[in-house]
Amino acid sequence: MIVLKSPQEKFLAALQAVAGIVERRHTLPVLANVLLRKTGPEIEFTTSDLEIQVRTRASFDGDPGDFQATVGARKLIDILRTLPADQNVTLSSAQSKLTLSGGKSRFTLQTLPAEDFPLVQEAADFGPAFSVPQKSLKALIAQVHFAMAVHDIRYYLNGILFVAEGKSLTLVATDGHRLALAQATLEVEMPKQEVILPRKTVLELQRLLRDDKEGGEGAIEMRFAGNQAKFAFSGMEFVTKLVEGKFPDYNRVIPKNHKNHVTLGRAPLLASLQRAAILTSEKFKGVRINIEPGTLRIASSNAEQEEAKEELEIDYGGDAIEIGFNVTYLMDALANMDQEMVSLSLQDGNSSALVTVPEQAGFKYVVMPMRI
């Protein structure tokens, strides 16, 4: 049976849309596969890792009739990637194997039964659906994702807090050493929702959501249940478990009354930090920042007694302050912005610093100081 006939790029695009969550090595071999379900000309592609399930549909030429099987997702993608983009490919089925052919190339792949594929059991109590522009959510995720914890024992930090209320959508991430908050005002009223999206879900949404350059005018529809979230956008359906637990009170962490403020160019500051980072110690990544009227100095050194010094002219008339930071924490925030100017608010050398953006009131980044 000819399951599908298609230009290489159309088939590859459908597979790549769902394959981001597939692990090459898994305790269940079938989870390395993509589930193909053909109903007439339409084929549904589904992948799962037991906690996240991604699905998309596309129409292809092929024999009439229904078909379903699972096949190695990464192998299929790797093969398609090496074939020319404008080549037509054919996927045919015979005796529990799938054969992909294109031009004079032919690949025969083993399948596993579709019945063995563990689909995620969807919650029965999803709340009301609401939609936001894809580009808005993608922009918010970009501003906070880097502050998520990685494999933290405090499992509720391994993700993003998602708070929707009225016309306000707020995303917060923290790893205990820094906190990023991004907020947008939307045109639609949203029901009050407060959930923690897992790290893997956040990174996959970031990969799949589209911005203006990618045609991201469309909306993403969201629904939440007690322990699940469901997203629909760009012909995709995305179901994920939520992280259970209590996220820290982020409002208590954000400094309110810092009296020393300096606004300077984001790109020059980032470039100076990147240069200074070269000579930090591998383990601590510490830099010293001295701020005094007219000047901001950055210094770093390492165990080999090498050192770097950078100096920037600033418009500043506040207190002289010396403070240490993990340089990676500052560079992460600056590298994920595209605004020209940033503002730095400080109290003294022992209090956390607040990074904001003059033209965007909804962004706040808090970073703890470091003893150097």
Side-chain angles (χ1 to χ4, degrees):
M1 176 187 192
I2 294 176
V3 180
L4 66 81
K5 279 184 183 173
S6 161
Q8 175 266 11
E9 54 192 350
K10 183 181 177 184
F11 187 17
L12 181 59
L15 282 168
Q16 285 179 322
V18 298
I21 63 167
V22 175
E23 311 282 354
R24 281 188 188 268
R25 291 184 180 81
H26 214 291
T27 47
L28 278 176
V30 75
L31 289 177
N33 287 10
V34 57
L35 171 63
L36 306 177
R37 276 181 172 163
K38 173 176 159 64
T39 311
E42 188 174 82
I43 296 183
E44 188 179 83
F45 299 81
T46 307
T47 57
S48 170
D49 69 355
L50 298 181
E51 299 203 343
I52 306 171
Q53 180 174 291
V54 186
R55 178 178 286 154
T56 191
R57 296 175 180 84
S59 291
F60 297 94
D61 293 335
D63 288 343
D66 298 349
F67 169 81
Q68 58 177 17
T70 78
V71 65
R74 298 284 181 197
K75 284 180 193 166
L76 202 47
I77 285 175
D78 289 347
I79 292 166
L80 284 165
R81 274 188 183 141
T82 59
L83 294 170
D86 57 353
Q87 189 168 79
N88 282 321
V89 296
T90 301
L91 189 68
S92 51
S93 157
Q95 299 168 344
S96 77
K97 290 189 177 173
L98 283 173
T99 300
L100 179 71
S101 48
K104 295 189 176 179
S105 304
R106 186 180 168 89
F107 305 87
T108 303
L109 299 167
Q110 191 61 259
T111 65
L112 290 170
E115 302 76 47
D116 294 352
F117 195 85
L119 294 167
V120 169
Q121 187 71 38
E122 289 189 25
D125 57 339
F126 277 108
F130 62 97
S131 298
V132 302
Q134 282 193 52
K135 60 185 179 184
S136 300
L137 185 57
K138 180 162 183 146
L140 289 176
I141 290 174
Q143 290 175 314
V144 302
H145 74 278
F146 53 86
M148 291 187 289
V150 185
H151 303 311
D152 197 296
I153 192 165
R154 298 162 294 180
Y155 54 91
Y156 48 83
L157 299 185
N158 301 316
I160 279 181
L161 178 68
F162 186 109
V163 184
E165 187 171 13
K167 290 190 173 180
S168 175
L169 179 60
T170 306
L171 270 60
V172 188
T174 180
D175 61 5
H177 303 287
R178 51 177 169 173
L179 179 144
L181 178 149
Q183 193 169 54
T185 303
L186 304 168
E187 294 171 7
V188 292
E189 286 274 345
M190 290 173 290
K192 172 124 172 78
Q193 309 273 359
E194 193 165 315
V195 299
I196 303 173
L197 298 178
R199 177 185 176 82
K200 189 172 177 181
T201 297
V202 171
L203 298 178
E204 194 58 17
L205 281 174
Q206 191 181 23
R207 183 180 80 87
L208 292 170
L209 288 169
R210 296 174 182 169
D211 56 25
D212 278 344
K213 297 174 200 150
E214 303 156 327
E217 293 80 22
I220 173 168
E221 184 185 275
M222 301 183 242
R223 299 181 73 190
F224 297 103
N227 65 343
Q228 255 182 16
K230 194 174 187 178
F231 305 98
F233 58 97
S234 303
M236 309 276 300
E237 189 184 86
F238 193 108
V239 179
T240 176
K241 276 190 182 176
L242 296 170
V243 179
E244 293 177 27
K246 184 82 176 105
F247 201 83
D249 181 358
Y250 56 91
N251 282 312
R252 285 180 55 197
V253 176
I254 298 168
K256 306 286 191 295
N257 303 311
H258 281 3
K259 61 185 180 186
N260 298 296
H261 309 280
V262 58
T263 299
L264 68 165
R266 180 189 68 85
L269 176 58
L270 176 58
S272 291
L273 289 167
Q274 285 169 333
R275 290 191 291 268
I278 297 166
L279 295 186
T280 55
S281 74
E282 281 296 313
K283 193 171 179 186
F284 297 112
K285 291 285 179 192
V287 294
R288 279 190 317 282
I289 294 181
N290 283 77
I291 297 181
E292 55 192 57
T295 308
L296 182 147
R297 293 187 181 88
I298 301 167
S300 64
S301 58
N302 58 28
E304 286 81 50
Q305 297 186 322
E306 298 168 326
E307 59 182 12
K309 290 184 177 173
E310 291 280 333
E311 194 170 301
L312 293 166
E313 286 183 16
I314 53 172
D315 181 8
Y316 176 71
D319 300 342
I321 295 172
E322 178 173 337
I323 188 167
F325 291 111
N326 180 319
V327 70
T328 307
Y329 295 165
L330 293 177
M331 292 192 305
D332 281 349
L334 296 170
N336 282 282
M337 299 176 189
D338 53 11
Q339 290 85 358
E340 276 190 31
M341 307 297 286
V342 294
S343 294
L344 192 60
S345 300
L346 298 160
Q347 184 68 19
D348 51 44
N350 301 311
S351 304
S352 56
L354 175 65
V355 179
T356 53
V357 179
E359 64 260 43
Q360 191 182 345
F363 175 77
K364 292 182 174 70
Y365 182 63
V366 182
V367 58
M368 299 281 287
M370 177 180 180
R371 284 207 180 124
I372 298 176

